[in-house]
Amino acid sequence: MSRVLPFLVVPACLFAVQPSWASQPDFHLQVVPANVYKVDDPGNAKTSSFVFDIAVICSTDCALTPISASVELSNGRSTVERQEWTTEMLAKIKNIRYRIEPNTPLASPTRAFTLPEAFDVRFYFRHPQALAIDSAAVRLTVADAKGRRVEQVLGIPIQYYQQKTALTFPIRGHGIIGQDYITNGGHGGFWNGFAIDIDGLDQKDGELSDANENAADAGWGREILAPAAGIVVYVRNDVPNGPHYGEEPDSDYYKPLRDPVMAYAGNCVIIDHGNSEYSVMMHMQTGSVTVKVGDRVATGQVIGRLGSSGSAGGPHLHYQLQSGPRLWQYPSLPFRFQNIDAPLHRGKYFVAK
């Protein structure tokens, strides 16, 4: 299932600054996700944030080490800020997120989207909205095992996403938001960076009881609704609910399941709304999904019930808007619902009607 997706290669401004000697390290930079979107932060600070990974893509020798990096943020032709990272700083944030390793879990989404990377580094930025940052220039120097160095620069547009589909909240009643956007310390993948976890509560904003079981959760079994009209392009309905309340399942849970990587999302429905916008709803109760691939659904139509299947760790609905029809292979998109206050951040209580 592992594959490199050519459509995610960023068409950015990329060039190498070559030293005078021959046989320099052979690599190029790739930004993940290919389109970097900023979002306004919750609260009254009037700041916006954006996050991206820079992957060092290597064709042969992948024994590369980051030496230095700088990021220059701009508004048009005006430089807003320049930040620099030393070798010691880069060593602390260096990672391998897009390459399958011997210890990569059986059901990890990394197995569905891979890159031939030496390493990657993640950059977070938060600035006043008034600065209107619209681009970032990343300059990265790496060295190979022989100490030979090469520097490359990647230009990255930064923009707000313009949502096209009018969305309504996918459950009704009282509830609370668990995890939220990557820009607020929430979901951490390129495929789920703009996702929220929704848990239902009773009318007093509490749970049904303190018992350590799914049935004690006030959201358990609540109807999941199509957030907009569209065509169902993916359905899974056979993943068991999590065996231990409050804990994500281990590899033994996934081993007997068909396609464990897809089972990570649990029982799931993806709806194509057109305009390259797809709603994804994960972790529904086993056997509760009421639609099939090819069905045309209406806004507010019941499509399943809130559960704890897959990597849920407890009853909740994972919702995200993304740019394509398949799990793990397309970036998520910032979104807003028409019928509920925004932004929906971690710990925010809501009443959806």
Side-chain angles (χ1 to χ4, degrees):
M1 190 171 182
S2 301
R3 56 182 70 87
V4 176
L5 301 182
F7 56 80
L8 282 173
V9 176
V10 63
C13 172
L14 175 64
F15 60 90
V17 180
Q18 298 286 354
S20 57
W21 60 81
S23 302
Q24 297 92 1
D26 181 18
F27 75 98
H28 69 272
L29 304 181
Q30 179 172 333
V31 63
V32 183
N35 297 307
V36 178
Y37 296 116
K38 59 182 177 179
V39 294
D40 292 341
D41 299 311
N44 300 317
K46 294 185 177 180
T47 57
S48 61
S49 297
F50 54 92
V51 179
F52 57 80
D53 294 334
I54 295 295
V56 174
I57 307 300
C58 45
S59 56
T60 52
D61 180 12
C62 278
L64 303 177
T65 302
I67 300 300
S68 65
S70 68
V71 179
E72 187 173 282
L73 304 176
S74 299
N75 172 3
R77 295 186 178 182
S78 300
T79 299
V80 173
E81 182 183 60
R82 178 184 174 90
Q83 296 186 18
E84 297 189 0
W85 285 262
T86 64
T87 303
E88 292 75 16
M89 294 167 67
L90 289 170
K92 294 178 180 179
I93 64 173
K94 172 186 172 184
N95 211 325
I96 298 176
R97 295 179 177 88
Y98 304 105
R99 193 176 75 204
I100 297 175
E101 298 282 88
N103 62 346
T104 300
L106 174 68
S108 171
T110 300
R111 296 184 179 276
F113 175 77
T114 62
L115 294 172
E117 66 168 354
F119 62 88
D120 59 79
V121 287
R122 176 164 291 178
F123 296 100
Y124 292 79
F125 297 97
R126 175 170 292 180
H127 289 85
Q129 298 167 16
L131 295 179
I133 292 168
D134 60 15
S135 67
V138 179
R139 187 180 297 268
L140 182 65
T141 299
V142 307
D144 65 11
K146 296 181 179 180
R148 297 173 298 189
R149 299 185 179 189
V150 135
E151 178 187 84
Q152 290 199 356
V153 179
L154 184 64
I156 305 169
I158 309 295
Q159 58 192 313
Y160 285 110
Y161 180 68
Q162 302 300 316
Q163 181 178 326
K164 304 171 187 69
T165 305
L167 299 171
T168 60
F169 206 64
I171 72 170
R172 297 291 179 264
H174 291 240
I176 190 170
I177 302 300
Q179 289 278 53
D180 63 346
Y181 287 2
I182 189 173
T183 52
N184 198 37
H187 293 92
F190 91 96
W191 54 270
N192 70 350
F194 297 113
I196 58 173
D197 289 345
I198 304 167
D199 189 14
L201 299 174
D202 64 20
Q203 292 190 356
K204 295 182 179 180
D205 288 334
E207 303 292 0
L208 299 181
S209 77
D210 294 330
N212 191 25
E213 59 184 10
N214 288 329
D217 191 289
W220 178 252
R222 191 168 301 185
E223 291 181 338
I224 306 302
L225 313 174
I231 298 174
V232 177
V233 295
Y234 174 81
V235 167
R236 181 133 189 196
N237 200 21
D238 66 335
V239 182
N241 294 312
H244 305 293
Y245 183 84
E247 299 179 12
E248 290 197 18
D250 58 21
S251 60
D252 290 339
Y253 168 87
Y254 292 104
K255 283 179 181 177
L257 301 180
R258 170 179 56 87
D259 199 343
V261 175
M262 302 299 276
Y264 188 83
N267 301 304
C268 176
V269 172
I270 301 178
I271 301 171
D272 179 1
H273 303 303
N275 296 308
S276 297
E277 292 185 340
Y278 297 76
S279 280
V280 182
M281 286 144 289
M282 302 182 187
H283 308 314
M284 287 183 274
Q285 281 187 0
T286 310
S288 73
V289 175
T290 60
V291 294
K292 62 183 184 300
V293 172
D295 284 355
R296 185 176 295 275
V297 296
T299 304
Q301 179 176 332
V302 176
I303 61 170
R305 292 186 176 275
L306 190 148
S308 63
S309 56
S311 64
H316 73 272
L317 174 69
H318 174 107
Y319 175 83
Q320 66 189 53
L321 189 70
Q322 65 181 41
S323 64
R326 294 187 294 276
L327 290 171
W328 323 135
Q329 297 174 23
Y330 291 88
S332 56
L333 304 168
F335 60 87
R336 299 173 75 94
F337 296 110
Q338 285 191 322
N339 63 330
I340 200 164
D341 291 339
L344 291 169
H345 55 84
R346 182 191 297 110
K348 181 176 177 64
Y349 291 87
F350 64 82
V351 180
K353 299 179 180 180

